[in-house]
Amino acid sequence: MIACTLEKAGYKTGLYSSPHILNFNERIGTASEPFEEEIYEKSVRELIETIKSIKIVDLPAQRPITWFELVTILGMLCFKNAGCDFAVYEVGLGGRLDATNVIKP
């Protein structure tokens, strides 16, 4: 509802939610539709380059990055590359270690 309201007010708004039902891009897009494929492709390329540069010894407790953390970062990159004015994140009950906790409202 928040993303729809922002879109109706004329703002370019990204929406991050889960789960997806049919296609992965249902998780990262706008309230009304996915982004153009070029946005996802550019964002995935940026994500891969960034992840390649990270050394496991530099991560907290040398723990590998989780799938959800990667998807959350991908969402952030997509919103940046799409030129979103706002990003709305669905957050759950992941607790203090949930990847969405890094987002500052």
Side-chain angles (χ1 to χ4, degrees):
M1 288 180 10
I2 294 169
C4 288
T5 301
L6 288 166
E7 277 188 0
K8 291 291 183 190
Y11 295 104
K12 179 139 185 164
T13 305
L15 177 62
Y16 178 87
S17 63
S18 65
H20 63 279
I21 306 300
L22 300 175
N23 298 304
F24 181 80
N25 63 7
E26 294 170 24
R27 290 177 176 265
I28 303 167
T30 70
S32 55
E33 62 187 3
F35 292 124
E36 300 80 27
E37 284 299 314
E38 295 79 27
I39 298 296
Y40 298 110
E41 290 171 10
K42 179 179 181 181
S43 301
V44 166
R45 282 193 303 274
E46 287 181 41
L47 178 62
I48 289 170
E49 286 303 312
T50 301
I51 297 305
K52 282 181 174 180
S53 70
I54 297 173
K55 298 176 188 144
I56 191 106
V57 296
D58 294 332
L59 296 171
Q62 298 182 1
R63 177 189 56 79
I65 299 170
T66 67
W67 181 86
F68 186 70
E69 290 167 342
L70 290 172
V71 174
T72 302
I73 296 167
L74 179 61
M76 293 173 185
L77 289 169
C78 287
F79 299 150
K80 174 189 70 103
N81 290 330
C84 290
D85 300 308
F86 290 95
V88 176
Y89 289 81
E90 172 195 351
V91 297
L93 299 173
R96 68 181 181 85
L97 299 178
D98 191 297
T100 58
N101 287 344
V102 300
I103 301 164
K104 301 292 182 204

